[in-house]
Amino acid sequence: MYQLQVENMSCGHCVGSVTKAVQGIDPAAQVQIDLASKSVKVESSAALGTISAAIVEAGYPVTSAQ
């Protein structure tokens, strides 16, 4: 399980875009997003760096990832 802080998320469209970006890397990934805390939890077999890069490429800056 990865925990990321992702900026610029404010609505359902943002949630969909981030989820789509992660699942573009790993279609089986489980993604949980809390807009209030800008928190994204990802359960995936893909590397954290790859997931983070996909989210950034979708237009959402990742400020921390672990």
Side-chain angles (χ1 to χ4, degrees), residues 4 17-26 47-60 62:
L4 303 95
S17 294
V18 170
T19 300
K20 184 177 177 182
V22 171
Q23 290 179 338
I25 300 299
D26 177 5
L48 176 58
T50 303
I51 290 171
S52 181
I55 294 171
V56 169
E57 189 173 309
Y60 301 91
V62 176

Side-chain angles (χ1 to χ4, degrees), residues 5-51:
Q5 288 299 119
V6 180
E7 297 299 315
N8 298 344
M9 296 187 305
S10 60
C11 64
H13 178 264
C14 300
V15 170
S17 294
V18 170
T19 300
K20 184 177 177 182
V22 171
Q23 290 179 338
I25 300 299
D26 177 5
Q30 298 295 315
V31 183
Q32 298 174 347
I33 298 175
D34 180 351
L35 290 175
S37 65
K38 301 183 189 308
S39 169
V40 178
K41 293 181 181 176
V42 178
E43 182 71 41
S44 173
S45 59
L48 176 58
T50 303
I51 290 171

